[in-house]
Amino acid sequence: METELTDNELIERVINKDSKSLEVLYDKYSPILFTLIKKIVSDKEKAEIVLADVFVIIWQKSYLYNLATNNLYAWLILLTRNKSIDFIKRVRGEINDDYNDEYEDNFIIPKISPEISPLEIDKAVDKRGTIYSAVNSLTEAQQYVLSLAYYEGLNESEIAAKLNIPLPTIKTKLRVVLNSIKDFQQKEG
Amino acid sequence: MIDKQKIIGLIPAKAIGCLTVEDNLIIQSYLDEGNEFPWDELANYQYTAALLPLALQLEIPEPSLKDNVALKLIKLTEEQLAKKIREEEQLTLNKMEEETNTFSDDNLLLDESAEHQVPAEESETSTSFNLDEIDLPEADAPEPFILESESEQEQESDNFLSKENPDNTFSVDETDLLQETIFTEEPIVTNVSEETPIVNNEESKISSEQTTEEKIIEENVETEKFSTTDLSPQVEEKRTIDKSVANSKFGEIQKKTQNEKIFKALEQELDLLKSGFTESEKKLTRNLLMAYVAIAILLALLIFSYFKFTADIKALEKEVNDVKRNTTSELMEKKIIESNFYFLS
């Protein structure tokens, strides 16, 4: 298997049910996806289960990825995040909906904007230092709100209720947090 | 009419996946109305959201996990295959039932017409002849594959495994190929370096004022401290038990699937033999016919040549006789001439 295949080429082959390409994709993406899952489910065994589930989804639903976006990295990260959040919510009993094809297509598979800039895993990894600094530059409160939203899967109203602050403030805070990271990254990168 | 500014305000939460149900509906109806959606805004936030996990300390999964993923895919494929076979068999059974139904209906008609000739009791017994009542052997139908061992949570998370994928074109060969390829590979080599030194960029302060709300949040932070979801030990224990049960169940399922495969293969072989037999029977008949034709032609040729030879022999005999007759008269003539010559000389 040629290792110099781009992410888009790889996923295209996976769409055509090439298991070798799926394997290459696993080798490339499993560390970052596993890290994200572990952060969300906070248990190694469960993280392994979710990672396996994620790759099953990739194998079965890769045709839903829009090749034109050329950003498989974002698609996989957001897909994994959604799947992990769904997993812990089901464990907690917060989601009781049937997990079927329709549910998966609507709530697990992310709808990436067609305007998104292209990004591959190799280039994304190069940004690690910048992103780490950007997140660390946030105040503790901002980091907490971000963590509640991104890693714990709480929605804005739930965050507002949990922190006992008005909903509009949470909305503003999230916007400020994302803009800060975006600006920091643009400045550095 | 939904204000575009309101939609733009919802974009960060949408990108990060923390929209409330109501806000999600607002976005959906805005899209349904065919309004111009701020895709570029969403793209920017989604891009940023996707980069967030890079700030985490990277963890490499166990190499054995790759095998588990492969196993899961194989299991899934086999389940889908079994489901397909079950559906096909169900279809065949349905067809058979339909056929038997029509057959019994025909019988009913026949019996009705025969009612005038046979005594009433006899006709009653014949009308009750219904093939529907005959129990078809169920042993042929494979047992449904149900993974009942998984814990509730796991079942829920794995539910999609039991569904049929409409576009899935897995074949047994593919499964084998997948198994072969994924299991024989060397350990994971990732492009992601394990320890990328994190540069703590000094004072890259982002202008965000410490509001009063933030102070409240910080107070909460101290009390809550990024609490992640820990499961109770009972749940943990249940999961371990369930896992071992699942493993044993998996073995059973594999056995069943293998048996089913063998059964299918035998059936196919039987079909092949049957078709081969019919084919050879046809060939034999054709060859026999050819042989008969050849023999008939040969016989005709023999008879023809017999008659021809007989006619030729007769003709030759006649010719010989003619020649004989001619030679005798010629010789007689020659003798007379010769005697005349001697006499004159």
Side-chain angles (χ1 to χ4, degrees):
Chain A
M1 171 64 57
E2 309 145 65
T3 43
E4 49 283 343
L5 285 177
T6 63
D7 281 1
N8 248 28
E9 285 168 337
L10 276 173
I11 197 74
E12 212 173 341
R13 288 179 183 212
V14 173
I15 294 169
N16 294 322
K17 300 289 171 211
D18 177 12
S19 56
K20 284 227 168 201
S21 299
L22 184 76
E23 197 186 346
V24 177
L25 214 63
Y26 179 91
D27 291 342
K28 277 177 108 177
Y29 275 94
S30 59
I32 186 73
L33 300 185
F34 184 72
T35 306
L36 171 62
I37 298 166
K38 179 104 188 289
K39 170 76 181 167
I40 294 170
V41 303
S42 43
D43 177 271
K44 198 182 159 212
E45 250 183 61
K46 287 185 184 69
E48 288 179 349
I49 294 168
V50 176
L51 185 68
D53 286 351
V54 165
F55 274 89
V56 170
I57 298 175
I58 296 169
W59 180 249
Q60 292 186 318
K61 300 278 174 79
S62 49
Y63 63 89
L64 290 174
Y65 166 70
N66 181 5
L67 285 163
T69 59
N70 204 5
N71 193 336
L72 181 67
Y73 171 82
W75 192 72
L76 289 181
I77 292 286
L78 297 180
L79 161 69
T80 307
R81 187 250 167 205
N82 294 347
K83 179 68 194 168
S84 310
I85 296 291
D86 183 78
F87 181 85
I88 49 157
K89 282 191 172 179
R90 280 173 193 275
V91 169
R92 286 187 210 140
E94 291 167 20
I95 297 179
N96 297 311
D97 300 344
D98 281 343
Y99 194 106
N100 52 33
D101 252 341
E102 199 188 343
Y103 178 87
E104 195 169 85
D105 294 351
N106 289 331
F107 300 105
I108 307 294
I109 311 277
K111 275 99 196 153
I112 300 287
S113 165
E115 305 279 320
I116 199 165
S117 311
L119 184 64
E120 294 225 353
I121 178 79
D122 307 329
K123 297 239 171 75
V125 168
D126 291 343
K127 294 175 191 276
R128 278 192 71 202
T130 315
I131 300 301
Y132 183 84
S133 306
V135 172
N136 272 353
S137 70
L138 301 172
T139 64
E140 233 177 275
Q142 284 175 328
Q143 282 187 33
Y144 188 49
V145 171
L146 181 67
S147 173
L148 288 177
Y150 196 76
Y151 297 118
E152 292 201 28
L154 299 189
N155 65 35
E156 290 172 317
S157 331
E158 287 167 337
I159 299 170
K162 189 173 179 131
L163 302 179
N164 201 21
I165 48 177
L167 181 63
T169 316
I170 294 296
K171 284 182 189 284
T172 320
K173 209 159 277 300
L174 274 174
R175 175 177 283 277
V176 168
V177 165
L178 287 178
N179 281 336
S180 301
I181 296 169
K182 193 175 75 182
D183 294 342
F184 193 96
Q185 188 234 324
Q186 276 170 356
K187 211 161 58 184
E188 293 288 312
Chain B
M1 183 74 186
I2 305 158
D3 183 23
K4 193 179 175 181
Q5 280 309 310
K6 192 179 180 183
I7 297 297
I8 290 174
L10 298 175
I11 296 290
K14 166 117 183 119
I16 216 166
C18 65
L19 264 186
T20 57
V21 182
E22 299 79 43
D23 288 344
N24 228 337
L25 285 172
I26 292 172
I27 290 188
Q28 198 50 52
S29 52
Y30 183 80
L31 277 167
D32 291 344
E33 280 170 19
N35 295 310
E36 197 186 325
F37 191 80
W39 290 111
D40 48 341
E41 279 273 321
L42 180 67
N44 284 333
Y45 286 118
Q46 277 183 332
Y47 189 91
T48 310
L51 290 174
L52 289 174
L54 291 169
L56 302 170
Q57 189 62 47
L58 213 64
E59 283 186 61
I60 310 288
E62 294 281 326
S64 60
L65 184 60
K66 196 176 178 181
D67 296 342
N68 290 346
V69 173
L71 203 72
K72 196 157 191 173
L73 285 169
I74 291 160
K75 204 169 121 185
L76 179 81
T77 315
E78 282 184 349
E79 276 176 7
Q80 283 176 337
L81 210 75
K83 201 178 175 185
K84 222 176 180 181
I85 291 168
R86 266 208 317 277
E87 278 173 2
E88 273 172 21
E89 285 191 355
Q90 192 59 47
L91 265 172
T92 335
L93 272 173
N94 287 345
K95 263 187 188 174
M96 274 172 70
E97 269 176 28
E98 272 175 32
E99 275 169 23
T100 49
N101 276 342
T102 47
F103 184 60
S104 61
D105 287 347
D106 289 346
N107 273 331
L108 274 169
L109 284 169
L110 279 170
D111 292 332
E112 271 169 21
S113 62
E115 223 172 342
H116 304 290
Q117 293 157 5
V118 284
E121 280 171 36
E122 270 181 42
S123 71
E124 262 174 44
T125 49
S126 59
T127 45
S128 69
F129 177 71
N130 187 354
L131 288 178
D132 278 351
E133 282 171 17
I134 297 171
D135 288 325
L136 288 165
E138 283 181 349
D140 290 348
E143 282 173 40
F145 292 87
I146 303 158
L147 258 180
E148 44 191 28
S149 55
E150 301 279 324
S151 67
E152 268 181 34
Q153 307 103 332
E154 220 178 314
Q155 255 188 1
E156 279 170 338
S157 71
D158 287 352
N159 265 349
F160 62 89
L161 287 175
S162 58
K163 306 179 268 101
E164 193 185 30
N165 175 18
D167 292 312
N168 200 309
T169 51
F170 269 121
S171 66
V172 188
D173 297 341
E174 264 184 33
T175 322
D176 293 339
L177 181 78
L178 190 72
Q179 196 167 19
E180 199 182 288
T181 56
I182 296 186
F183 278 97
T184 54
E185 284 301 311
E186 66 243 38
I188 303 169
V189 184
T190 56
N191 294 344
V192 184
S193 61
E194 204 171 341
E195 10 68 60
T196 313
I198 306 298
V199 191
N200 251 331
N201 273 16
E202 20 61 46
E203 285 75 56
S204 50
K205 292 280 176 202
I206 296 158
S207 55
S208 51
E209 288 172 15
Q210 282 278 92
T211 56
T212 45
E213 287 89 21
E214 277 187 0
K215 279 173 194 161
I216 300 167
I217 299 165
E218 268 161 18
E219 275 170 26
N220 283 323
V221 175
E222 277 172 28
T223 52
E224 302 220 5
K225 275 287 170 199
F226 292 78
S227 60
T228 44
T229 50
D230 284 328
L231 289 170
S232 63
Q234 288 97 324
V235 178
E236 281 294 303
E237 206 177 274
K238 201 183 172 217
R239 253 205 54 66
T240 342
I241 296 161
D242 286 343
K243 213 185 164 191
S244 62
V245 178
N247 285 340
S248 61
K249 281 279 165 189
F250 180 60
E252 274 173 37
I253 289 165
Q254 270 190 327
K255 245 185 206 172
K256 276 178 192 172
T257 326
Q258 272 179 344
N259 288 343
E260 210 169 274
K261 271 184 197 169
I262 293 165
F263 179 71
K264 274 273 144 191
L266 279 171
E267 260 188 350
Q268 278 178 346
E269 263 179 48
L270 199 73
D271 286 345
L272 270 173
L273 276 170
K274 269 184 193 172
S275 61
F277 179 72
T278 339
E279 196 75 7
S280 56
E281 212 176 18
K282 274 182 191 170
K283 255 187 194 172
L284 194 74
T285 327
R286 211 183 308 136
N287 287 344
L288 269 171
L289 268 171
M290 295 273 278
Y292 285 143
V293 171
I295 289 166
I297 291 166
L298 278 172
L299 264 172
L301 272 171
L302 204 70
I303 293 162
F304 173 75
S305 45
Y306 170 76
F307 283 114
K308 201 177 180 309
F309 284 136
T310 327
D312 285 350
I313 288 164
K314 273 183 184 169
L316 279 169
E317 270 176 359
K318 203 183 168 187
E319 234 172 88
V320 169
N321 286 336
D322 286 346
V323 170
K324 267 183 187 172
R325 216 176 297 140
N326 288 339
T327 5
T328 340
S329 56
E330 266 175 31
L331 279 173
M332 288 284 280
E333 228 173 89
K334 207 183 173 184
K335 252 186 182 175
I336 293 162
I337 293 163
E338 272 178 5
S339 62
N340 286 340
F341 175 74
Y342 286 116
F343 180 73
L344 288 170
S345 62

